[in-house]
Amino acid sequence: MKSQKKKIKISALVVLAVSLMFAIFIPVMFQGYSLMVVNISLIYAIITLGISIMLGMGGQLSFGGLAFMGYGAYFVANVCTGRLGFKIPTLLALVLAPIFCAVLAYMIGLILLKLKDTYFTFATIALVQVSFSFFMNYRPLFGGPDGISGIPNLSVGGYELKDNNHWFYFLIGVLVVLAIIVERIRTSAFGRALASVRDNDTAALTLGVDVYKTKVKAFAIAGMLGGFAGALYVMQGNFVASDLFAYNNATQFIIMAMVGGINNTFGSIVGSVLITILPEAFRSLERYLQLFYGLAVILLMVFMPMGLSGMSQQLGKWLRRLIWNPSAKKAGGAKQ
Amino acid sequence: MSFNVVLTVFLNGLAMGMVYALVAMGIILLVRAIGVLNFAQGELLMLGAYITFALQVQMELPIWVVVPVALISFAVIALIFMFTIYWPLRDASYPTAIIIATMGASIVIKEIAMLVWGGLPLRMPPLLENEATGGALLVNIAGVNVSWQLILTAVVGMVIIGLVFFIFEKLYAGKMIQAASQDKFAAELMGIPTIVTTAATYIISITLAGVGGFMVGPIFTVNVTLGTLLLRAFAGVIIGGLGNIKGAIIGSVLVGLIESTAAVRWSTYKDAVIFLVLLAFLVVRPQGLFGMKIKDKA
């Protein structure tokens, strides 16, 4: 038990150190457009956290996060630009958008989570398609193909987040808070109920877990995170257009979660940051970039289905054995 | 709606429905045989369109050479696909990993097509061409001009679907494939080589998608967005009931008809209409039109 505690502390320290280094070095290394890409990757990490709750903790493959990102984004776009005849402060909109999306996700989840596994996955694909179609064509609310521009920056207590640097520090802070919350959810009673649903829903049912309600709650949390990310996205970019919410991007978020490690909070963040930043870093290889990306996804799934976090855990285990107990290396290796 | 509109809508819907049915059948066969939802099926259709374009337009081969060469290349692609995407992952500890791998494969196939043929849409001549104008050969049905390509697509779709049914229902090999797909372990015990039946399933499934691409190439242009037809096929699969081939075919034809009807009245929202119908189906009758006979393995 004691060693267990110590292990968690070490990994937490490593995570903290890495994020600190990240926070200090990134704004120095990247400026302007590149820093904006970093910011967007941090926003995507929020949706990926939602996927990690649904898929990693709950075992439900959902494409719906993207649709809720859209609802959050257009919610903010409508209430902050005065398109509906009134304007509310950006901070209030940032709070209301995830609540709106959570309520919406809860209601949609009540209907869709009656479906099981593959049917549920298809239902969320349908949700993404229907939402995209309306985002793209319905002018009064979504601006049609032109999108909505002129969305104000977020201002917190009179302090306006103007440039990419401000946004970077704000997003890092938000992400750390969210990561801690998600990590708490993982160890809470709700998280354990969700894990039991993932592993065997019949067994979960006999143990007194309300499988349906648990899944609906997880869907609502994922929807809330999606809506929050959408709200941040439009405030950061001052613009929203429908092409972001096409089905292809939904698969991209799932790939992000899988690449980082599906049941790992830090992994989902790393996955989304890597997948968003790497294409920008290798601009010169643009022609082959997507091809390498696809190949990398396949190879990663073949050799490391638990993603980068699974790989680092294996590596850590191996290193620990090598350092502390070199003689037991072979025996331990055989057991693996 | 006047009679010609109805006829055009019906034929369009039927032809596209048949294409969706080909893709949908491929999806169902794989789900039943190995429990894998193949997200690359749409890109395989796209690849089929590009391959037939290369044979027919770039190499200028006559049609009786194009068809067998195309079929053989579909089979080869199927084997490559099986041994790269499915085989290394068949014992994966995490079942979603293989689905993600098919998503990765869809990206790879799309990018390869982009690199080889470029991103621009390519025009492919219809199978029956009007020599004088260079356009599609039209046939006059009750005063309405209908493109032969649509009729051919519907007919080819029906013939191939019939053929697959014949293989699975009448031939011993088909029964072997079905037995292996329902219980792999028991089939192995009975001496059925499951690797062969799995390979056969892959070949049939991917050939179906390839033929679909061959037929839609002239209707749309040959381009990388053909992969998105997959989503309509998914809709057809669900409306018909997952795991049921007959249901998937009827569901796909229904999706085709809904699509072409919606295109008349709400052309910009036709996607929304299809998927709203799908959602309505899922809410009202989640098991699909025909229910499901086997366990949901995917």
Side-chain angles (χ1 to χ4, degrees):
Chain A
M1 201 61 211
K2 210 177 176 185
S3 69
Q4 187 74 21
K5 254 187 181 169
K6 199 176 154 199
K7 221 191 280 175
I8 288 167
K9 257 186 193 162
I10 290 174
S11 65
L13 273 179
V14 170
V15 168
L16 204 66
V18 171
S19 17
L20 253 178
M21 260 163 55
F22 195 72
I24 293 167
F25 284 117
I26 289 286
V28 180
M29 276 159 55
F30 297 95
Q31 256 116 34
Y33 175 72
S34 326
L35 191 58
M36 198 184 89
V37 173
V38 175
N39 287 345
I40 287 174
S41 78
L42 296 178
I43 293 171
Y44 286 173
I46 297 173
I47 307 178
T48 316
L49 282 178
I51 288 172
S52 126
I53 290 179
M54 273 305 278
L55 181 60
M57 286 193 216
Q60 308 292 315
L61 181 57
S62 159
F63 288 77
L66 188 71
F68 291 106
M69 183 186 178
Y71 301 147
Y74 282 107
F75 179 86
V76 168
N78 275 305
V79 298
C80 289
T81 53
R83 287 170 61 90
L84 301 177
F86 62 88
K87 250 186 192 180
I88 65 171
T90 47
L91 188 61
L92 183 62
L94 186 65
V95 175
L96 286 182
I99 295 173
F100 168 74
C101 285
V103 173
L104 204 62
Y106 191 82
M107 291 192 305
I108 293 175
L110 281 178
I111 300 168
L112 295 191
L113 281 156
K114 290 229 154 78
L115 308 165
K116 289 192 93 178
D117 304 339
T118 319
Y119 288 88
F120 170 70
T121 304
F122 280 125
T124 58
I125 292 177
L127 185 67
V128 170
Q129 283 285 341
V130 172
S131 313
F132 175 62
S133 189
F134 279 101
F135 291 157
M136 196 166 68
N137 296 310
Y138 190 61
R139 275 179 186 278
L141 274 181
F142 308 120
D146 309 330
I148 299 173
S149 54
I151 297 152
N153 280 317
L154 176 66
S155 63
V156 184
Y159 182 76
E160 199 183 336
L161 296 169
K162 268 186 231 128
D163 60 18
N164 291 328
N165 270 345
H166 296 168
W167 271 104
F168 177 78
Y169 291 116
F170 177 71
L171 286 173
I172 280 279
V174 164
L175 205 53
V176 168
V177 172
L178 283 179
I180 292 170
I181 293 173
V182 171
E183 205 52 40
R184 290 290 296 176
I185 290 176
R186 202 185 297 280
T187 50
S188 69
F190 171 69
R192 285 195 300 276
L194 203 54
S196 71
V197 170
R198 171 196 63 201
D199 293 336
N200 188 337
D201 52 359
T202 316
L205 202 63
T206 56
L207 288 172
V209 175
D210 189 338
V211 172
Y212 171 60
K213 274 282 157 58
T214 309
K215 286 190 204 166
V216 173
K217 273 186 210 158
F219 192 67
I221 294 175
M224 184 167 76
L225 288 170
F228 190 51
L232 286 172
Y233 185 89
V234 294
M235 286 176 175
Q236 190 261 353
N238 309 110
F239 176 70
V240 55
S242 58
D243 55 349
L244 178 68
F245 307 111
Y247 159 79
N248 276 353
N249 290 333
T251 60
Q252 178 146 354
F253 288 126
I254 289 170
I255 291 173
M256 281 175 188
M258 287 296 283
V259 163
I262 189 60
N263 202 4
N264 186 303
T265 311
F266 191 59
S268 350
I269 297 173
V270 172
S272 41
V273 169
L274 273 185
I275 287 184
T276 322
I277 291 181
L278 283 185
E280 298 299 327
F282 294 103
R283 275 268 157 185
S284 49
L285 292 172
E286 202 168 15
R287 261 170 74 83
Y288 304 98
L289 202 64
Q290 284 288 315
L291 181 63
F292 287 142
Y293 167 54
L295 285 175
V297 168
I298 297 172
L299 288 177
L300 201 69
M301 287 307 112
V302 170
F303 293 109
M304 216 64 251
M306 290 313 286
L308 293 175
S309 71
M311 189 152 71
S312 69
Q313 269 164 19
Q314 292 279 12
L315 209 67
K317 232 184 247 171
W318 180 76
L319 272 179
R320 216 170 294 136
R321 214 180 289 131
L322 200 72
I323 295 167
W324 278 298
N325 203 354
S327 60
K329 193 178 79 180
K330 260 183 197 158
K335 249 184 223 164
Q336 281 279 303
Chain B
M1 279 199 277
S2 64
F3 172 71
N4 15 2
V5 177
V6 172
L7 184 70
T8 324
V9 163
F10 176 76
L11 261 177
N12 257 313
L14 189 67
M16 285 319 293
M18 279 299 159
V19 173
Y20 302 151
L22 291 178
V23 180
M25 253 176 128
I27 292 169
I28 296 267
L29 287 178
L30 287 183
V31 166
R32 286 191 9 167
I34 52 171
V36 169
L37 210 52
N38 187 3
F39 276 85
Q41 202 78 4
E43 268 69 28
L44 289 165
L45 175 138
M46 177 209 78
L47 194 62
Y50 271 110
I51 286 176
T52 44
F53 173 82
L55 294 170
Q56 207 185 337
V57 179
Q58 293 179 322
M59 298 183 197
E60 296 178 352
L61 296 174
I63 187 77
W64 60 86
V65 185
V66 170
V67 171
V69 173
L71 289 178
I72 291 168
S73 51
F74 296 155
V76 172
I77 290 167
L79 291 178
I80 296 173
F81 190 84
M82 174 186 168
F83 282 106
T84 49
I85 308 301
Y86 164 68
W87 201 248
L89 278 156
R90 66 193 185 285
D91 299 323
S93 53
Y94 200 70
T96 317
I98 188 157
I99 294 178
I100 306 295
T102 64
M103 288 179 188
S106 78
I107 297 171
V108 171
I109 297 171
K110 200 197 251 170
E111 289 308 309
I112 289 177
M114 285 268 261
L115 287 174
V116 177
W117 286 282
L120 292 174
L122 304 167
R123 194 190 158 272
M124 188 163 154
L127 285 174
L128 289 174
E129 205 172 6
N130 190 335
E131 296 291 330
T133 59
L137 192 63
L138 301 176
V139 60
N140 198 310
I141 303 177
V144 186
N145 281 331
V146 180
S147 151
W148 262 110
Q149 184 69 29
L150 285 179
I151 299 171
L152 265 181
T153 305
V155 171
V156 168
M158 283 180 214
V159 168
I160 290 191
I161 288 164
L163 208 62
V164 173
F165 266 103
F166 177 74
I167 293 175
F168 275 89
E169 304 292 332
K170 294 281 181 279
L171 295 187
Y172 182 68
K175 287 190 178 132
M176 261 163 60
I177 297 177
Q178 267 187 319
S181 76
Q182 276 171 15
D183 191 337
K184 203 165 207 167
F185 183 66
E188 290 254 325
L189 287 180
M190 302 300 290
I192 294 172
T194 49
I195 177 168
V196 178
T197 58
T198 310
T201 314
Y202 263 95
I203 290 174
I204 293 172
S205 146
I206 285 167
T207 308
L208 288 174
V211 172
F214 181 45
M215 297 316 291
V216 295
I219 298 179
F220 305 106
T221 49
V222 179
N223 63 70
V224 284
T225 57
L226 281 180
T228 50
L229 293 183
L230 171 75
L231 293 177
R232 316 278 171 77
F234 274 164
V237 167
I238 290 296
I239 288 178
L242 190 72
N244 184 316
I245 297 183
K246 274 178 204 147
I249 294 162
I250 294 170
S252 301
V253 173
L254 216 56
V255 168
L257 291 174
I258 293 168
E259 184 192 7
S260 64
T261 315
V264 178
R265 181 73 181 73
W266 312 278
S267 63
T268 45
Y269 290 108
K270 78 181 179 191
D271 255 27
V273 172
I274 297 169
F275 290 99
L276 279 174
V277 169
L278 171 61
L279 280 175
F281 252 101
L282 283 170
V283 172
V284 178
R285 199 177 157 77
Q287 74 274 39
L289 276 176
F290 294 89
M292 55 180 193
K293 302 250 164 65
I294 60 152
K295 209 173 114 235
D296 180 5
K297 289 200 286 186

